[in-house]
């Protein structure tokens, strides 16, 4: 069993599709073991996306991620990191397969509805970035 981090981004919250996105994870075998709605501060968003700080889209990404509330999730399941990324679809929604979250709900490469950890190592870092141990309910 693995745990991974997902974020339902401000664009998806604005579209009122939180429930639909949660259902995609559950219907595909992942369990929601932690959830928190919050409005990221600029400092926290910058820190979370630090790996992209040299990219030309970094400041726009931070602006977007702080433009409204997000729902942060820890997901558990067999091969959860890979499975979550399959359910989300490609970062660029134009490349995302039919039936994926990004194909159905993203509106640009930046406003791509969801985030998911890209490796098991990063999943551990990202889950603990948002959740204390007593806020996670593995089962
Ligand atoms: P995410 O999976 O959260 O990881 C980094 C985010 O940066 C990505 O989703 C997109 O929201 C954004 N992103 C990635 N590539 C680009 C790009 N070329 N232009 C703008 N935003 C991007």
């Amino acid at each position: 069993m693995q745990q991974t981090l997902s974020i339902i981004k401000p664009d998806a919250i604005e579209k009122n599709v939180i429930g639909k996105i949660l259902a995609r994870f559950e219907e595909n075998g992942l369990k929601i073991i932690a959830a928190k709605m919050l409005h990221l501060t600029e400092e926290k968003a910058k820190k979370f996306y630090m790996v992209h700080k040299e990219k030309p889209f970094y400041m726009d990404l931070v602006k977007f991620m702080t433009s409204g509330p997000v729902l942060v999730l820890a997901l558990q399941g067999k091969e959860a990191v890979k499975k979550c990324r399959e359910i989300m679809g490609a970062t660029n929604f134009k490349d995302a397969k039919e039936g994926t979250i990004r194909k159905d709900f993203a509106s640009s490469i930046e406003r791509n509805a969801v985030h998911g950890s890209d490796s098991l190592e990063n999943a551990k870092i990202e889950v603990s970035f948002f959740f204390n141990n007593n806020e996670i309910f593995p089962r």
Side-chain angles (χ1 to χ4, degrees), residues 9 49 52 57 61 91 102 109-110 112 115:
K9 298 187 180 186
Y49 280 118
H52 295 301
F57 58 80
L61 176 62
T91 304
R102 285 170 170 160
I109 190 165
E110 176 184 77
N112 63 354
H115 166 82

Side-chain angles (χ1 to χ4, degrees), residues 1-27:
M1 283 292 169
Q2 292 178 353
Q3 294 181 2
T4 191
L5 185 93
S6 179
I7 305 176
I8 302 183
K9 298 187 180 186
D11 58 322
I13 305 264
E14 177 64 31
K15 284 182 181 159
N16 205 26
V17 291
I18 294 173
K20 286 183 179 164
I21 292 174
L22 295 181
R24 299 281 177 102
F25 290 131
E26 290 188 330
E27 284 161 3

